[in-house]
């Protein structure tokens, strides 16, 4: 995931390909990589040891509760690590580049480097999420991530609208998580 993000960033910054098109090109290229890794378009993980199976065996809890527990623990850890990281000089440079690229450049920040780093971090998080989802569902599918961009954007928009008036960065990170939960609840109610 981190490597794919770096490739997207390089396509965008060095080859001057628009960001959304660079992401689409990387995603298309990853189909081949995923097919090579999986060996086929859909790979069952029923006989493979997963994080969830190990915890179910160790605690005796139901898989649904283990999934919630693992999700909450991973979320808390990620929010804490991201809050710390984006408070460092490097994280602040990424945030500055995202907020106002021209101002960041005028402050001496190498915006191209920080775009690549930001995309690498975000895609690494996407890869972690995909790995957890595959283990939870018990299979991996090449087309599994299609539509995830819509969920991601909806989560961010809902989180910003409902909770984004505060300037605290930890609240903004938590707002995206809450926005995602609200989006899923809305979809469930509609269905």
């Amino acid at each position: 995931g981190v490597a794919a993000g770096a490739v997207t960033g390089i396509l965008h910054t060095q080859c001057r390909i628009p960001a959304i098109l660079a992401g689409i090109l990387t995603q298309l290229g990853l189909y081949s990589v995923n097919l090579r890794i999986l060996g086929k378009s859909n790979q069952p993980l029923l006989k493979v040891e997963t994080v969830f199976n190990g915890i179910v065996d160790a605690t005796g809890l139901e898989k649904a509760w283990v999934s919630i527990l693992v999700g909450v623990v991973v979320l808390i850890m990620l929010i804490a690590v991201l809050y710390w990281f984006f408070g460092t000089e490097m994280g602040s440079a990424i945030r500055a580049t995202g907020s106002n690229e021209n101002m960041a450049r005028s402050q001496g920040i190498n915006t191209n480097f920080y775009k690549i780093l930001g995309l690498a971090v975000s895609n690494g998080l996407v890869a972690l999420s995909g790995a957890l989802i595959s283990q939870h569902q018990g299979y991996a599918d090449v087309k599994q991530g299609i539509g995830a961009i819509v969920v991601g954007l909806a989560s961010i928009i809902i989180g910003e609208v409902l909770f984004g008036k505060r300037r605290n960065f930890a609240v903004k990170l938590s707002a995206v998580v809450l926005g995602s939960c609200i989006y899923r609840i809305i979809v469930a109610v509609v269905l």
Side-chain angles (χ1 to χ4, degrees):
V2 172
V7 168
T8 302
I10 290 168
L11 287 173
H12 174 59
T13 59
Q14 304 305 314
C15 299
R16 305 284 185 231
I17 297 174
I20 191 75
L21 182 57
I24 291 169
L25 289 173
T26 304
Q27 182 183 11
L28 290 173
L30 285 175
Y31 279 127
S32 298
V33 173
N34 287 338
L35 279 171
R36 178 77 173 154
I37 291 170
L38 291 175
K40 53 186 173 181
S41 64
N42 188 312
Q43 182 69 41
L45 301 174
L46 299 175
K47 295 180 182 179
V48 176
E49 186 64 30
T50 67
V51 172
F52 300 100
N53 293 344
I55 295 173
V56 166
D57 294 341
T59 63
L61 294 172
E62 292 181 24
K63 187 175 179 182
W65 286 108
V66 170
S67 297
I68 292 170
L69 178 68
V70 169
V72 168
V73 168
V74 169
L75 274 174
I76 290 170
M77 289 177 15
L78 283 176
I79 288 173
V81 168
L82 289 173
Y83 183 76
W84 168 81
F85 175 70
F86 285 112
T88 65
E89 187 174 337
M90 189 174 282
S92 295
I94 291 172
R95 290 172 60 193
T97 300
S99 293
N100 189 336
E101 184 179 350
N102 292 331
M103 181 59 80
R105 195 176 302 114
S106 71
Q107 296 295 320
I109 295 173
N110 181 352
T111 56
N112 285 341
F113 172 76
Y114 287 107
K115 283 181 185 179
I116 294 169
L117 182 61
L119 285 164
V121 168
S122 67
N123 280 283
L125 294 172
V126 170
L128 173 64
S129 300
L132 287 172
I133 288 172
S134 291
Q135 290 183 48
H136 169 72
Q137 292 178 339
Y139 69 92
D141 193 306
V142 172
K143 295 184 179 183
Q144 202 163 326
I146 294 177
I149 190 74
V150 173
V151 174
L153 289 173
S155 301
I156 292 169
I157 291 168
I158 291 170
E160 282 183 356
V161 167
L162 296 179
F163 308 103
K165 295 180 181 175
R166 296 180 180 92
R167 297 289 179 204
N168 185 342
F169 190 64
V171 173
K172 288 183 179 181
L173 286 173
S174 300
V176 172
V177 173
L178 293 173
S180 175
C181 293
I182 292 169
Y183 176 80
R184 290 295 183 185
I185 289 169
I186 291 169
V187 169
V189 168
V190 168
L191 293 178

